[in-house]
Amino acid sequence: MKMKLCGLLLTCLAAAQIFPSVSFAKGTPDEIARLGKDLTCVGAEKAGNKDSSIPEYSGKWLGVPPHVPFKGTGNHPLDAYPDEKPLVVITAANMEQYAARLSEGQKALFKKYPQTFRMPVYPSHRDFRFPDSVCQTAKENAAAAELVNNGEGVMGVTGGPIFPFPKTGTELLWNAIIPYRAYTEELISDNAYVLAGGAINWGRVKSRNLGAANEPGVRHKTEGQSSYYLNETLLPERDKGEINTGMEFFNFAQNPRQSWRFDPGTRRVRQSPGYGYDMAFPGTGGSITVDEVRIFNGSPERYDWAILGKKEIYIPYNAYKVHSPNIKYSELVKPGHANPEFMRYELHRVWVLEGKLKEGYRHLYGRRVMFIDEDTLFPIMADNYDVRGELWRTSMLNHFYAYEMKTWQAGVGFYHDLNAGTYLAFNLINEQPAAYKLNENKITPQMFGPEAARRMGL
């Protein structure tokens, strides 16, 4: 199976081996010299593909493009390409024509929903770029960053990618775990768990996050906490008032994730040991695991990770429309899958990363295949297999370039259970009066942890 996939890849790296305890991340002088030249400053190929369906990287826009009347953070994102039409619409009837550029999860969705699932493919764009400080951090990390503690920890500089030249699966995974994204984030979002018959269980969460690794223009060492989170359940009513909060570190072996939960019934805060991995994410009806929020989060320890190379596939990209306040949930959330009318797919090069469950470890997923955009290093999609090797769940995140913070933001995610015929629409904001509040710098570490949860629950 691995050999068959490699035949489809643009690159089958000789380094696509598993190196669980040794880092080979440091780039050579020749490699580092390519950053900002034939490679982008974070290591992606600048050139387009052979048939020009993937354009050359331009990076012509930093922040708000001149033609976009964006009014600042907290407002819903505005489309940078509002007048474009799909180049092609892939359906169950013509999917074989495009099969080489589809994931296994996408093919499965066409087979399960042949009458309704379709993928509108738009022109591909590579127009946005990172701030110069991110480029500088990438260059510094290329020469010095390394894995520690069998890949459960990382040493480098924050504020940019850790491994611009990932040579092992674990290095690539760390790029995806801590990409350059929001420093501070606040939002109230809705979740729709859509059952096979079309009935919907609704949830609503107030979230607050602090990504210490991504303070704009600041480069810290990978020491201490990497991020903080706090989620307060607003719906359903039976769970209203529940608070989950915690913090993550740059080294899971030395400092595992710490988490606490406030129970509104007992009005007590209790520590949640071992929170993560394949535990059911609160408020989602068990439809996703804790560690698949944003495709993957947490410690890499339970899997052997391997780079399978790069591939050109259709992925959700420049996903502005799906977050529009002009769309009602009743229009977007349909039985089986989201309304394709509001989706936007583009052809891009992605890293393909495989995780296989280690002997002696347990998890609901025996194998995971993740697709990581080479330009942003954000994980975009994943196919998750059960312990028998059968494709079980497939997920996709809709990212967009958030003008106010000059990097990309993970928006609504769609998590499909192919066996049950259900899916979760996670982090919907269309009907919320405010969208993401990003990098307002009003969030501090004191706003997380057990004392913060206790104060909020009183």
Side-chain angles (χ1 to χ4, degrees):
M1 179 64 187
K2 183 175 177 181
M3 294 300 295
K4 182 178 179 181
L5 177 58
C6 283
L8 299 174
L9 301 177
L10 294 179
T11 307
C12 255
L13 301 179
Q17 306 294 323
I18 301 165
F19 300 105
S21 60
V22 181
S23 169
F24 297 91
K26 297 176 183 176
T28 65
D30 287 344
E31 286 178 323
I32 295 171
R34 297 175 61 192
L35 294 175
K37 295 180 180 176
D38 66 308
L39 303 179
T40 72
C41 75
V42 297
E45 298 173 50
K46 265 190 176 178
N49 64 352
K50 289 183 179 178
D51 65 8
S52 299
S53 52
I54 296 177
E56 182 178 353
Y57 169 83
S58 74
K60 62 184 179 183
W61 290 327
L62 176 66
V64 187
H67 65 285
V68 176
F70 183 64
K71 295 182 179 178
T73 198
N75 290 281
H76 287 75
L78 295 180
D79 199 337
Y81 312 99
D83 300 324
E84 289 189 342
K85 305 296 181 186
L87 299 172
V88 65
V89 177
I90 305 174
T91 67
N94 65 6
M95 64 169 280
E96 291 302 326
Q97 182 181 344
Y98 304 96
R101 290 174 165 176
L102 297 173
S103 70
E104 293 305 311
Q106 289 168 335
K107 294 176 188 175
L109 289 171
F110 279 120
K111 292 175 182 176
K112 192 164 187 69
Y113 307 105
Q115 302 302 318
T116 56
F117 186 72
R118 61 184 190 276
M119 292 173 51
V121 178
Y122 287 76
S124 299
H125 292 286
R126 305 173 72 193
D127 295 331
F128 293 100
R129 70 177 187 270
F130 289 113
D132 290 343
S133 60
V134 176
C135 300
Q136 180 59 35
T137 300
K139 183 173 290 188
E140 187 170 335
N141 279 332
E146 59 183 343
L147 299 177
V148 295
N149 288 95
N150 290 326
E152 292 182 49
V154 65
M155 290 181 64
V157 176
T158 67
I162 299 294
F163 302 114
F165 304 103
K167 295 170 182 172
T168 72
T170 308
E171 292 169 1
L172 178 58
L173 180 69
W174 271 103
N175 282 342
I177 290 175
I178 48 173
Y180 183 71
R181 61 187 181 203
Y183 170 50
T184 66
E185 177 186 59
E186 284 186 288
L187 75 154
I188 295 177
S189 61
D190 296 299
N191 298 322
Y193 181 39
V194 186
L195 304 180
I200 301 175
N201 295 330
W202 287 98
R204 179 172 295 163
V205 179
K206 183 178 182 180
S207 301
R208 171 195 302 159
N209 299 301
L210 172 62
N214 292 315
E215 186 173 358
V218 177
R219 290 185 291 145
H220 298 289
K221 297 291 185 182
T222 49
E223 297 171 345
Q225 293 89 342
S226 63
S227 61
Y228 303 78
Y229 64 90
L230 188 145
N231 299 311
E232 179 184 2
T233 301
L234 304 180
L235 287 176
E237 287 292 337
R238 65 176 181 275
D239 298 327
K240 186 174 182 177
E242 179 179 312
I243 297 170
N244 287 279
T245 183
M247 60 193 71
E248 306 234 326
F249 299 82
F250 291 105
N251 190 321
F252 292 100
Q254 294 181 354
N255 295 294
R257 172 185 285 160
Q258 295 184 19
S259 185
W260 296 266
R261 174 178 177 269
F262 172 78
D263 182 348
T266 62
R267 308 191 69 78
R268 299 186 64 178
V269 176
R270 296 182 183 276
Q271 192 159 19
S272 305
Y275 179 76
Y277 305 105
D278 59 355
M279 296 173 67
F281 190 80
T284 64
S287 56
I288 63 173
T289 62
V290 170
D291 69 2
E292 68 177 314
V293 173
R294 301 192 198 227
I295 300 299
F296 185 86
N297 67 82
S299 172
E301 68 172 314
R302 294 193 181 185
Y303 291 88
D304 288 322
W305 298 96
I307 298 173
L308 300 185
K310 285 187 184 176
K311 188 177 182 181
E312 298 175 3
I313 63 171
Y314 300 110
I315 57 176
Y317 219 89
N318 290 310
Y320 295 97
K321 188 185 297 185
V322 74
H323 299 98
S324 171
N326 299 321
I327 299 171
K328 299 295 183 185
Y329 292 149
S330 59
E331 300 174 280
L332 175 61
V333 182
K334 297 295 186 181
H337 51 79
N339 188 340
E341 180 181 348
F342 306 118
M343 297 293 290
R344 179 187 176 109
Y345 297 88
E346 296 183 9
L347 184 66
H348 283 266
R349 276 188 296 254
V350 299
W351 290 96
V352 184
L353 176 64
E354 179 189 64
K356 287 185 176 179
L357 189 62
K358 291 178 180 176
E359 290 288 337
Y361 285 80
R362 66 164 303 277
H363 196 287
L364 289 177
Y365 302 143
R367 176 173 174 252
R368 322 165 76 130
V369 178
M370 295 163 50
F371 304 92
I372 299 169
D373 174 40
E374 72 159 353
D375 283 334
T376 65
L377 298 175
F378 279 76
I380 305 292
M381 301 196 305
D383 291 337
N384 295 317
Y385 296 76
D386 63 22
V387 292
R388 301 168 301 174
E390 300 294 326
L391 179 58
W392 178 13
R393 291 171 172 170
T394 186
S395 52
M396 60 183 82
L397 283 188
N398 291 269
H399 287 80
F400 58 90
Y401 187 81
Y403 311 124
E404 65 270 47
M405 62 176 186
K406 301 179 179 65
T407 187
W408 285 260
Q409 171 70 13
V412 59
F414 297 112
Y415 297 80
H416 290 267
D417 186 322
L418 297 166
N419 294 340
T422 62
Y423 78 99
L424 176 72
F426 187 70
N427 271 350
L428 294 161
I429 61 167
N430 309 75
E431 294 190 15
Q432 287 296 328
Y436 307 90
K437 296 180 180 178
L438 304 170
N439 286 10
E440 287 192 312
N441 301 332
K442 297 179 180 178
I443 298 176
T444 66
Q446 290 71 36
M447 299 167 74
F448 302 87
E451 290 304 320
R454 193 169 289 114
R455 289 194 302 269
M456 292 177 63
L458 293 178

